[in-house]
Amino acid sequence: MTAFVITAAGRGSRIGRVGESLHKCLVPLNGKAVLSHIIDLAPTHARLVICVGHMADQIRDYVELAHPQLDVMFIDVPNWNAPDGGPGASLLAARDAVGDDHMIFTSCDTLWDRHQRLWSGPGASSWVALASIPPGTRVNRWTTVGTNASGSHVVQINDKDENVPVISQFTYAWTGLGYIQDCDIDDFFEGIIHENAPDGETQIPPGLQCVIGLEAKFINWTDVGDEASYRAAVQRFTGYDFVKLDQATYVLPTEGRVVKFNANPEAVTHRVHRAASLEQTVPKPIRGARTDTLMAHPYVPGVTAYQAIQRDGVEVTKKMLDWFRGAIFSSRNGAPLEDATHARELLTEFYRRKTLDRINLLPADRLRQAAYGAVQYVNFDDLISRPVWGVPHGDFNYGNVIVTPGGEFVGIDWRENFAGSFFGDLRYDLGKMLAGTYVHWDRAQHGDLRPWHAGEEHAELILDFAWELGIKREDVRTIAGLSLLNSAPLHAEPLCGVAVARGVAVLTSFELGDHIGGE
């Protein structure tokens, strides 16, 4: 049986800020961790081996939460961060696990197209996967491989040597993916053992150089090994860079799981705690066994409310509001009465201070000035004078509500707290829902930032519903505008600017006489 070995022991310093609190193999790409993409690319007959070192417990927890049925052998790489560490050291640590079988090995930042039939059956000989040297990159960034004129076999391997001449039609970048036949295993590992790189690291190319008749295979390569290439991959896969630095959500329908990462462990703890009170409104979460920054919950089959609207129109909003009334708004009956002084402090923190703090994070002076100007229109004393206490979802927008095939509604991505409090202002949920009519978040994730003109009808339904509940329509609109300003700095341009512009328009329309409804 073939061993499929993923080397994931290194620190991944080139991934930049995205990898400060998250291992580089777990950075999200098109809804899944890079590691999950690699697991999906492994041949079904292979034994999966993952070499770990840096953030090893995080990787273990992720795999157990995201792929609960998967049989994985984890290999702890000794001294992974020592001067003589490196990818070669990871493979040496996995030597006993590989045994005398064939071995496929890959770095944890290498992806390729699924349709490429790299292992439809045992190959006639060992091979390495090559691709064109990425344009604009330095030669010594890569292990370069020279092939014969037909491109079928390797004739030269140079490990990140900037003095190597590059002949474009015969010199390629090695992608980190390779296959070693069982008959070549001993020679391959002997080569790794007996030669270190000039910087002292234990590398893989010396082992490749000891394999006679090494074939070349060419793949459509996606490299996510540094921040620039990762961001480019996100842009290519999804159409828009929606990555947050301290949070990630992984959706794995075939595994029946959704996994969430939050760099703040208290946020994970509070989210799990609040899920118990939201009861059937949200899925039941599961904590990681070793780390406190990962949790999972069952995957809810269905479509987002945004997607359901494409099929069923405004009826979805009507039913979603009815569900909110029974599942969330009803929690006001069980909420304790807050001390008036404490309540004002919480509301001031959540609506005013938080907004001003977020505005300070906006990347451009023009955005900050526009946002500050709009906030001056808000009468915060008036806004915080009439909260509706309960257990809010906390991020109640159309993208965070799933409509199941049976027509039921289930909330996902619920908020961990309300300004540090378990209870919160139920008006905030309606404000978040309304904000989702001004910015269509599902479309925004795919780069479509055009106004959602059909959202006007949905907005009217939300505001009328609030009025029926005894909530001022102006309060809901104000909260919607504030939430847009709050969300803006969490996203890159141009979405950041769009969220500011629409938040400003919502908040300033009151002063201009654009009240909606008869107040």
Side-chain angles (χ1 to χ4, degrees):
M1 180 180 287
T2 301
F4 187 93
V5 182
I6 303 171
T7 58
R11 190 175 297 277
S13 57
R14 291 184 293 110
I15 199 68
R17 292 184 63 202
V18 178
E20 287 180 357
S21 54
L22 191 62
H23 191 280
K24 70 173 181 176
C25 74
L26 301 184
V27 295
L29 182 63
N30 200 24
K32 296 196 296 188
V34 169
L35 179 60
S36 287
H37 285 284
I38 296 174
I39 289 171
D40 289 348
L41 290 168
T44 56
H45 64 275
R47 295 182 292 109
L48 189 61
V49 179
I50 303 178
C51 301
V52 295
H54 179 56
M55 295 185 176
D57 284 346
Q58 190 181 75
I59 296 174
R60 282 187 168 93
D61 270 0
Y62 172 80
V63 172
E64 291 176 4
L65 290 172
H67 303 275
Q69 306 304 319
L70 194 64
D71 185 14
V72 181
M73 177 181 290
F74 290 99
I75 301 295
D76 290 300
V77 179
N79 302 319
W80 60 269
N81 203 29
D84 60 348
S90 291
L91 288 187
L92 289 176
R95 177 70 181 92
D96 289 342
V98 173
D100 296 326
D101 289 337
H102 311 297
M103 177 179 67
I104 300 165
F105 64 94
T106 181
S107 61
C108 66
D109 51 24
T110 293
L111 297 173
W112 57 94
D113 285 356
R114 179 183 299 278
H115 71 267
Q116 295 181 274
R117 301 177 64 85
L118 297 177
W119 30 74
S120 53
S125 64
S126 302
W127 52 261
V128 288
L130 309 178
S132 298
I133 297 173
T137 62
R138 296 189 303 172
V139 174
N140 67 342
R141 162 76 171 79
W142 313 104
T143 293
T144 56
V145 175
T147 69
N148 58 5
S150 66
S152 62
H153 285 80
V154 173
V155 297
Q156 186 178 27
I157 300 175
N158 300 286
D159 189 10
K160 300 178 181 179
D161 186 349
E162 61 184 356
N163 297 317
V164 174
V166 176
I167 306 173
S168 61
Q169 64 266 43
F170 299 134
T171 306
Y172 304 91
W174 177 46
T175 63
L177 172 65
Y179 170 76
I180 305 297
Q181 279 275 77
D182 55 359
C183 59
D184 294 325
I185 282 287
D186 288 339
D187 291 338
F188 172 76
F189 279 113
E190 284 298 313
I192 293 177
I193 291 171
H194 290 111
E195 186 173 345
N196 287 350
D199 60 4
E201 282 195 349
T202 305
Q203 297 290 356
I204 297 173
L208 297 174
Q209 291 168 339
C210 293
V211 176
I212 298 173
L214 190 64
E215 289 188 356
K217 287 196 176 186
F218 294 88
I219 64 171
N220 295 325
W221 177 33
T222 297
D223 172 49
V224 290
D226 59 45
E227 187 166 13
S229 60
Y230 167 63
R231 295 283 186 179
V234 171
Q235 180 78 25
R236 186 167 67 255
F237 273 77
T238 64
Y240 186 76
D241 184 351
F242 215 72
V243 173
K244 296 180 180 180
L245 296 176
D246 60 350
Q247 299 178 45
T249 299
Y250 315 98
V251 182
L252 302 109
T254 57
E255 304 286 353
R257 285 289 176 89
V258 172
V259 180
K260 295 191 71 67
F261 163 80
N262 193 310
N264 179 2
E266 288 188 3
V268 178
T269 299
H270 293 161
R271 181 167 287 174
V272 171
H273 184 42
R274 290 190 75 248
S277 291
L278 287 166
E279 296 179 338
Q280 303 304 315
T281 308
V282 301
K284 184 177 180 180
I286 308 161
R287 292 295 298 268
R290 303 168 187 83
T291 57
D292 50 11
T293 56
L294 285 165
M295 58 164 271
H297 63 72
Y299 172 77
V300 180
V303 297
T304 67
Y306 275 128
Q307 294 166 329
I309 285 170
Q310 291 181 326
R311 180 188 64 210
D312 300 326
V314 295
E315 288 302 312
V316 174
T317 290
K318 294 177 182 178
K319 293 177 181 178
M320 184 171 160
L321 290 169
D322 285 341
W323 172 68
F324 171 84
R325 187 200 308 266
I328 297 176
F329 193 71
S330 60
S331 70
R332 73 195 187 282
N333 298 323
L337 294 175
E338 290 280 354
D339 172 79
T341 301
H342 181 55
R344 287 182 62 83
E345 182 66 22
L346 285 177
L347 293 165
T348 300
E349 173 66 30
F350 194 78
Y351 289 126
R352 186 174 188 277
R353 293 184 193 136
K354 175 185 164 187
T355 301
L356 295 176
D357 288 345
R358 288 287 180 85
I359 290 174
N360 282 332
L361 298 177
L362 290 170
D365 286 341
R366 61 179 178 80
L367 296 178
R368 289 191 292 272
Q369 291 172 5
Y372 277 128
V375 168
Q376 303 310 308
Y377 288 93
V378 178
N379 185 338
F380 284 100
D381 286 337
D382 183 61
L383 178 66
I384 67 176
S385 67
R386 42 183 174 269
V388 181
W389 292 108
V391 185
H393 174 282
D395 199 0
F396 192 74
N397 69 67
Y398 290 99
N400 285 342
V401 172
I402 302 298
V403 183
T404 70
E408 297 178 345
F409 291 83
V410 180
I412 59 173
D413 287 348
W414 59 99
R415 190 178 185 86
E416 62 270 12
N417 60 53
F418 187 93
S421 172
F422 183 87
F423 295 97
D425 185 2
L426 296 175
R427 296 177 303 170
Y428 184 67
D429 276 355
L430 293 177
K432 290 287 288 189
M433 186 179 178
L434 182 63
T437 68
Y438 303 137
V439 174
H440 193 299
W441 296 110
D442 262 15
R443 292 179 182 174
Q445 291 187 53
H446 297 89
D448 183 353
L449 303 178
R450 294 173 298 175
W452 183 31
H453 295 297
E456 295 178 6
E457 186 175 4
H458 298 272
E460 277 295 313
L461 289 172
I462 296 167
L463 293 167
D464 286 345
F465 176 80
W467 188 248
E468 291 175 12
L469 297 179
I471 297 172
K472 292 190 67 174
R473 294 154 60 96
E474 183 175 333
D475 286 355
V476 177
R477 274 194 52 128
T478 298
I479 292 170
L482 293 175
S483 76
L484 290 172
L485 296 185
N486 272 268
S487 66
L490 302 180
H491 306 297
E493 287 285 24
L495 178 54
C496 176
V498 169
V500 170
R502 294 182 191 169
V504 167
V506 171
L507 295 176
T508 58
S509 65
F510 297 123
E511 185 70 11
L512 299 174
D514 185 24
H515 292 258
I516 298 178
E519 296 184 32

